[in-house]
Amino acid sequence: MIAEPRYDEGEDEEDIVLNERFLAQVREAVEAGDKVRLDALLDDLHAADVADLIEQVGSGERAALLELMGGLDGDILSELDEGLREEVIDQLEPEELAEAVRDLESDDVVDLVEDLEGEQAEAVLEALDSADRAVVEQSLAFPEDSAGRLMQREVVMAPEHWSVGDAIDFLREAEDLPDQFYHVIVVDPRLRPVGYVTLGSILSAPRETPLKALFEDSFRTVEATRPQADVAYLFNQYHLISMPVVDDDDRLIGVITIDDAMIVLDEEHEEDMMLMAGVGDSSLSDTILETARQRFGWLFVNLLTAILASAVIALFSDVVDQIVALAIAMPIVASMGGNAGTQSLTVAVRAMATRDLTGANAWRVVMRETAVGFLNGLLYGVILGAVGWLWFDSAMLGVVLSVAMWLNLVVAGLAGIAIPLGLEKVGIDPALASGTLVTTVTDVVGFFCFLSLASWLLL
Amino acid sequence: MIAEPRYDEGEDEEDIVLNERFLAQVREAVEAGDKVRLDALLDDLHAADVADLIEQVGSGERAALLELMGGLDGDILSELDEGLREEVIDQLEPEELAEAVRDLESDDVVDLVEDLEGEQAEAVLEALDSADRAVVEQSLAFPEDSAGRLMQREVVMAPEHWSVGDAIDFLREAEDLPDQFYHVIVVDPRLRPVGYVTLGSILSAPRETPLKALFEDSFRTVEATRPQADVAYLFNQYHLISMPVVDDDDRLIGVITIDDAMIVLDEEHEEDMMLMAGVGDSSLSDTILETARQRFGWLFVNLLTAILASAVIALFSDVVDQIVALAIAMPIVASMGGNAGTQSLTVAVRAMATRDLTGANAWRVVMRETAVGFLNGLLYGVILGAVGWLWFDSAMLGVVLSVAMWLNLVVAGLAGIAIPLGLEKVGIDPALASGTLVTTVTDVVGFFCFLSLASWLLL
């Protein structure tokens, strides 16, 4: 047996820089209008942390902070939450914006521009020189959330006949290599990628080795029009580090690196989680009004479905009127169904995101979830039946609770898996509507089973 | 304004290999016992896809498939879902297991061994030669889910005084370089990392350039005992590609690369999502019995909280007994509160995972969520008040619904943010218990407000 020592969680977080003490110091500097002190505080900070700082202060403080900072690096702008970029850009002078943007790589400019309104987007594009602008506009011509928007245009490529020595000589003399690259992509005379070689193997192989002899097994390309979610899946599934992007004619037009794929993976997760909870596209830096509006819509859908469930109760108002115990016990059946349905649903949404649940095994998984509902329904039927019998001193009410619980957990298991599968089949993101749909089904079925059994057996 | 063409989603998925047609072919080959055909089908498949295939077939088919495959590559074993590894390893002969394991890098062996039971873990360790075994056992001495377990021991390091030329000569002559590496880590005489240089900049700089002149700004190290979740956060926050791992004395003992960090990030997301839904550590390949057992516990907690909410209703059984409309309408108030609470909760859990919600801005976010609840509560109070008035033809019942809804949405906003913050404060994963806790609060408050107002105003 292997010993498993435990670590002390969170004890040693000195590299989590935005702690309360630091924020208090920033606030003091901003309130005192002390630019020297503010610059000293921010000087060592990574752009991602400065962006987080701007996000974390309240909106009143934010204006004062930005004013005292006076201009922003492009890096900070591109790290900033999308919802805040417009607000921050509005506060920059045109020449400050131009200076910030000129430092950025083309893929970062694309990421920045695509979320801006017309006028601001124009301002950013105009700040670029014409060559950079053309590159950015080409990327923007690809569909939103496609591989083409994610790729960087700067690629390091080599012809098929090159040796390691040729590649090294080329790299030594090249100006303007990309900031980060991990492979040399080998292309045929029509610029179609045929393989890639890691920099590590170029460095460790003899000069005369042909690049072809060092091709990595992991090589695969992606079309520029493929959704970014697929790109993130491919990186994660095949442990890729970079992936060449090709156009309709299979010609190399860019490359996506794993750091960008990791960001997409993170965003896709966030989207699934937020969609399931009905929060939509939101962030902590949104204002109260914006946030209330974003959540209003989902709550409205929930209101309609809650009214539907209540209408089911209303159908049985006679029997509820005669036996008050029914009003007391019925939320238990609905609540258990809702939770069991959410369990199945969450497993399904996750498995669909990781492509573990596909048309090929859907039927088996539906059967499995229904069987799990059957088993747990049986157990909880017995437990709740006993509770109901003792609580309300009525064996028959216990039987009604028991059977209703059982039926509802079977339906919950089935609905939790069948609804997301059905939504995907008709082209709707299964995370989007499943939450309400599943709990609506379990509420309606729960109330209906319980109250109809009650009116049959208890009256 | 920038045009935004749309892509055709899912049209072009030829690189998603495990489609229904492919699985049907595999099934046919397995049923016919046709090893030649099976090998031909699996030959071109990436290890990750073979592992997915083993996961996706039913457990009966799985045994037949593994039998016909006859032995497994180590890569497939390490791609396999943790829940299935034991089952699959049990089916391997000792020499097959030994052969599979010998191909793996040390970090993959660690990942494999740490989830196995004592006997199987021993069998894997014994299959290694003694040097590899010592390396694996050293890694296993680090806490579970720590950076030390995640790192690979094979590092490429260089002394501080080296030039680019020295590094190139060293790499050219080195045997046994790691499969994947992206930086040369520069260490001082006591083996403490002082900076790193990308392979790209080594390749493109003149031979006489000192390595020190090429240090990357992104350089940072991590202690071997830090939790993997922190490691994933640091990679994502600072766009790292690799991070040197150090021991208590700051000496270099390994390196973590982004592909491993990406897997951890993905697992952390899965964990949060599953914990929030009360599913626990599960996968699609678990048996029905295992799955039912995993979900039983959470449903039991939910049963207790549902009974608690029902007990609140029981307190007011007099008033419910007299006015049946209350039994019909009360689930609406509870359901709206539960959904609004889940919205706040989801935003909070996500923001805590990305470190956007910290002690520094917690108070502001609590106020914001409560204010959002206040606003939406006001709106839905008016809407539901009107609905209740019209439906039950009682203005006073409308008022009761209206006020109860308002109060419950304020409490939902507050509970949705305060509960996860409180759990984190006392060292509990906020995703774990929040779901039940928040909906319990909204159910109890919802029923209590509604029914106590009703007994005051309607009787």
Side-chain angles (χ1 to χ4, degrees):
Chain A
M1 195 52 216
I2 290 138
E4 295 194 339
R6 303 289 313 163
Y7 50 75
D8 297 321
E9 217 166 321
E11 225 198 299
D12 190 10
E13 302 215 337
E14 79 282 3
D15 53 2
I16 310 297
V17 291
L18 294 186
N19 51 37
E20 280 173 76
R21 207 165 51 91
F22 183 82
L23 251 86
Q25 289 174 332
V26 169
R27 282 204 176 102
E28 267 173 45
V30 170
E31 273 162 32
D34 185 343
K35 182 159 171 59
V36 176
R37 182 143 177 243
L38 181 68
D39 286 348
L41 283 167
L42 302 188
D43 200 35
D44 284 341
L45 234 50
H46 189 283
D49 290 325
V50 179
D52 281 352
L53 175 70
I54 295 171
E55 287 162 20
Q56 288 191 17
V57 297
S59 53
E61 289 172 302
R62 191 177 299 137
L65 171 66
L66 289 170
E67 169 120 24
L68 194 59
M69 284 174 68
L72 275 188
D73 281 353
D75 284 346
I76 299 173
L77 215 49
S78 77
E79 295 284 353
L80 211 56
D81 193 272
E82 289 165 17
L84 266 182
R85 284 184 192 160
E86 286 182 34
E87 180 185 331
V88 169
I89 287 178
D90 263 344
Q91 291 195 32
L92 294 177
E93 302 293 324
E95 63 267 31
E96 285 173 345
L97 178 62
E99 199 184 327
V101 169
R102 258 181 243 123
D103 295 340
L104 293 175
E105 302 258 318
S106 67
D107 55 337
D108 291 327
V109 179
V110 170
D111 181 49
L112 190 64
V113 169
E114 64 183 359
D115 297 311
L116 296 177
E117 296 299 320
E119 210 172 306
Q120 288 191 329
E122 280 303 325
V124 170
L125 287 175
E126 272 163 28
L128 301 172
D129 65 41
S130 61
D132 287 345
R133 182 176 174 152
V135 167
V136 169
E137 284 177 339
Q138 277 166 30
S139 288
L140 287 170
F142 290 108
E144 205 180 350
D145 294 326
S146 69
R149 291 270 183 110
L150 196 63
M151 70 187 180
Q152 57 184 59
R153 312 287 297 221
E154 300 86 359
V155 292
V156 179
M157 54 177 131
E160 289 172 280
H161 58 83
W162 273 17
S163 66
V164 164
D166 296 330
I168 289 180
D169 294 342
F170 165 76
L171 290 170
R172 179 90 15 97
E173 269 146 50
E175 311 198 344
D176 242 14
L177 287 174
D179 269 6
Q180 301 279 352
F181 69 106
Y182 313 105
H183 290 103
V184 171
I185 301 166
V186 176
V187 293
D188 73 8
R190 298 184 52 195
L191 284 186
R192 288 180 302 210
V194 293
Y196 61 26
V197 182
T198 65
L199 299 186
S201 46
I202 289 179
L203 273 164
S204 54
R207 278 187 66 91
E208 63 278 10
T209 316
L211 289 181
K212 273 188 173 172
L214 301 174
F215 279 1
E216 294 281 308
D217 280 348
S218 64
F219 174 77
R220 60 180 66 220
T221 62
V222 65
E223 309 81 55
T225 50
R226 276 295 282 280
Q228 293 181 3
D230 289 0
V231 172
Y233 166 77
L234 293 170
F235 270 89
N236 202 30
Q237 173 81 349
Y238 300 119
H239 314 301
L240 304 177
I241 298 298
S242 64
M243 184 152 56
V245 180
V246 295
D247 66 11
D248 288 343
D249 299 322
D250 282 334
R251 276 186 310 237
L252 181 65
I253 55 172
V255 67
I256 296 174
T257 51
I258 184 174
D259 48 325
D260 292 318
M262 191 170 181
I263 293 170
V264 172
L265 188 76
D266 196 47
E267 286 171 353
E268 291 289 320
H269 278 299
E270 170 163 303
E271 201 182 295
D272 276 355
M273 202 168 161
M274 295 297 174
L275 280 180
M276 281 182 73
V279 185
D281 191 15
S282 74
S283 93
L284 285 189
S285 51
D286 292 338
T287 65
I288 291 169
L289 264 178
E290 279 166 358
T291 309
R293 207 185 47 223
Q294 282 157 4
R295 300 194 192 163
F296 185 88
W298 176 265
L299 288 175
F300 191 76
V301 174
N302 186 62
L303 180 65
L304 297 182
T305 64
I307 290 175
L308 180 65
S310 288
V312 173
I313 304 174
L315 283 180
F316 297 96
S317 56
D318 288 359
V319 55
V320 177
D321 204 12
Q322 289 174 56
I323 309 168
V324 70
L326 298 182
I328 295 169
M330 70 186 179
I332 302 178
V333 176
S335 161
M336 291 294 280
N339 270 272
T342 305
Q343 289 179 332
S344 294
L345 169 67
T346 305
V347 170
V349 168
R350 168 72 190 173
M352 288 160 94
T354 58
R355 318 277 168 100
D356 288 333
L357 174 57
T358 61
N361 64 342
W363 184 240
R364 202 172 56 75
V365 177
V366 169
M367 295 304 294
R368 190 186 82 125
E369 291 297 323
T370 312
V372 169
F374 184 94
L375 268 183
N376 273 337
L378 204 59
L379 289 167
Y380 279 107
V382 170
I383 294 172
L384 187 62
V387 170
W389 182 8
L390 294 173
W391 190 352
F392 302 106
D393 198 19
S394 155
M396 202 45 108
L397 181 58
V399 171
V400 169
L401 271 170
S402 186
V403 176
M405 174 73 103
W406 188 13
L407 289 174
N408 205 21
L409 287 205
V410 173
V411 170
L414 185 62
I417 184 86
I419 289 177
L421 279 171
L423 286 175
E424 175 149 285
K425 197 116 199 166
V426 297
I428 300 173
D429 187 330
L432 176 63
S434 302
T436 3
L437 284 179
V438 171
T439 51
T440 303
V441 168
T442 54
D443 278 354
V444 167
V445 170
F447 290 139
F448 185 85
C449 288
F450 179 60
L451 296 176
S452 61
L453 280 168
S455 68
W456 177 40
L457 292 175
L458 296 178
L459 286 192
Chain B
M1 193 57 214
I2 290 138
E4 296 193 340
R6 303 290 311 165
Y7 51 75
D8 297 323
E9 218 167 321
E11 225 197 298
D12 191 10
E13 303 214 338
E14 79 282 3
D15 53 2
I16 311 296
V17 291
L18 293 186
N19 51 36
E20 281 173 75
R21 207 165 51 91
F22 183 81
L23 252 85
Q25 289 174 332
V26 169
R27 282 204 176 101
E28 268 174 44
V30 171
E31 273 162 32
D34 186 345
K35 182 160 172 57
V36 176
R37 180 141 178 244
L38 181 68
D39 286 347
L41 282 167
L42 301 188
D43 202 35
D44 285 340
L45 234 51
H46 189 282
D49 290 325
V50 178
D52 280 352
L53 174 69
I54 294 171
E55 287 163 20
Q56 288 191 17
V57 297
S59 52
E61 289 173 302
R62 190 177 301 137
L65 171 65
L66 289 169
E67 168 122 26
L68 194 60
M69 285 172 69
L72 274 188
D73 282 352
D75 284 345
I76 298 172
L77 215 48
S78 78
E79 295 284 352
L80 212 56
D81 193 273
E82 289 164 17
L84 265 182
R85 284 183 192 162
E86 287 182 32
E87 180 184 332
V88 170
I89 287 179
D90 263 344
Q91 291 196 32
L92 293 178
E93 302 293 324
E95 63 266 33
E96 285 173 346
L97 178 62
E99 201 184 327
V101 170
R102 258 180 243 123
D103 295 342
L104 291 174
E105 303 258 321
S106 67
D107 56 335
D108 290 327
V109 178
V110 170
D111 181 49
L112 190 64
V113 169
E114 65 184 359
D115 297 310
L116 295 178
E117 296 299 319
E119 208 173 307
Q120 288 190 329
E122 280 304 325
V124 170
L125 287 175
E126 272 163 29
L128 300 172
D129 64 44
S130 61
D132 286 345
R133 182 176 174 152
V135 167
V136 168
E137 283 177 340
Q138 278 167 29
S139 289
L140 287 171
F142 290 108
E144 205 179 350
D145 294 325
S146 69
R149 292 270 182 109
L150 197 62
M151 69 185 181
Q152 56 184 62
R153 311 288 297 222
E154 301 87 0
V155 291
V156 180
M157 54 176 132
E160 290 173 279
H161 59 82
W162 273 15
S163 67
V164 164
D166 296 330
I168 290 180
D169 294 342
F170 165 76
L171 290 169
R172 179 93 10 99
E173 268 145 51
E175 311 198 344
D176 242 14
L177 286 173
D179 271 6
Q180 300 277 352
F181 69 106
Y182 313 106
H183 290 103
V184 171
I185 300 166
V186 176
V187 294
D188 72 7
R190 299 183 51 196
L191 283 187
R192 286 180 304 211
V194 293
Y196 60 27
V197 181
T198 64
L199 300 186
S201 46
I202 289 179
L203 272 164
S204 54
R207 278 186 67 91
E208 63 279 8
T209 315
L211 288 182
K212 273 188 171 171
L214 301 175
F215 279 0
E216 294 280 308
D217 281 347
S218 63
F219 174 75
R220 59 180 66 219
T221 61
V222 66
E223 309 80 55
T225 50
R226 276 294 283 280
Q228 293 181 2
D230 289 359
V231 173
Y233 166 76
L234 293 169
F235 270 88
N236 203 28
Q237 174 82 349
Y238 300 119
H239 313 301
L240 305 176
I241 298 298
S242 65
M243 185 153 53
V245 181
V246 295
D247 65 14
D248 288 343
D249 299 322
D250 282 334
R251 276 186 309 238
L252 181 66
I253 55 171
V255 66
I256 296 173
T257 50
I258 185 174
D259 48 326
D260 293 317
M262 190 169 181
I263 293 169
V264 172
L265 188 76
D266 196 47
E267 286 171 354
E268 291 290 321
H269 278 299
E270 171 162 305
E271 202 182 294
D272 276 355
M273 202 167 162
M274 295 298 173
L275 280 180
M276 282 182 72
V279 184
D281 191 14
S282 74
S283 93
L284 284 190
S285 51
D286 292 338
T287 64
I288 290 169
L289 263 178
E290 280 166 358
T291 308
R293 207 185 48 223
Q294 282 155 5
R295 299 193 193 164
F296 184 88
W298 176 265
L299 287 176
F300 191 76
V301 174
N302 185 63
L303 179 65
L304 297 182
T305 64
I307 289 175
L308 179 66
S310 289
V312 173
I313 303 174
L315 284 181
F316 297 96
S317 56
D318 288 359
V319 56
V320 177
D321 203 12
Q322 288 174 57
I323 308 168
V324 70
L326 298 181
I328 295 170
M330 70 187 180
I332 301 178
V333 176
S335 161
M336 291 294 281
N339 270 272
T342 305
Q343 289 180 331
S344 294
L345 169 66
T346 305
V347 169
V349 168
R350 168 71 190 174
M352 288 160 92
T354 58
R355 318 276 168 101
D356 287 333
L357 174 56
T358 62
N361 65 342
W363 184 241
R364 202 172 56 74
V365 176
V366 170
M367 295 304 296
R368 190 186 82 125
E369 290 296 323
T370 312
V372 168
F374 185 93
L375 269 184
N376 273 337
L378 203 60
L379 289 167
Y380 279 107
V382 171
I383 294 172
L384 187 62
V387 170
W389 183 6
L390 294 173
W391 189 354
F392 302 107
D393 198 18
S394 155
M396 202 45 107
L397 181 57
V399 170
V400 169
L401 271 170
S402 184
V403 176
M405 174 74 103
W406 188 13
L407 289 173
N408 205 21
L409 287 204
V410 173
V411 170
L414 185 61
I417 183 86
I419 289 178
L421 279 171
L423 286 175
E424 175 148 284
K425 198 115 197 165
V426 298
I428 300 174
D429 187 330
L432 177 63
S434 302
T436 2
L437 284 179
V438 171
T439 50
T440 302
V441 169
T442 54
D443 278 354
V444 166
V445 170
F447 290 139
F448 185 84
C449 287
F450 179 59
L451 296 176
S452 61
L453 281 168
S455 68
W456 178 39
L457 293 175
L458 296 178
L459 286 192

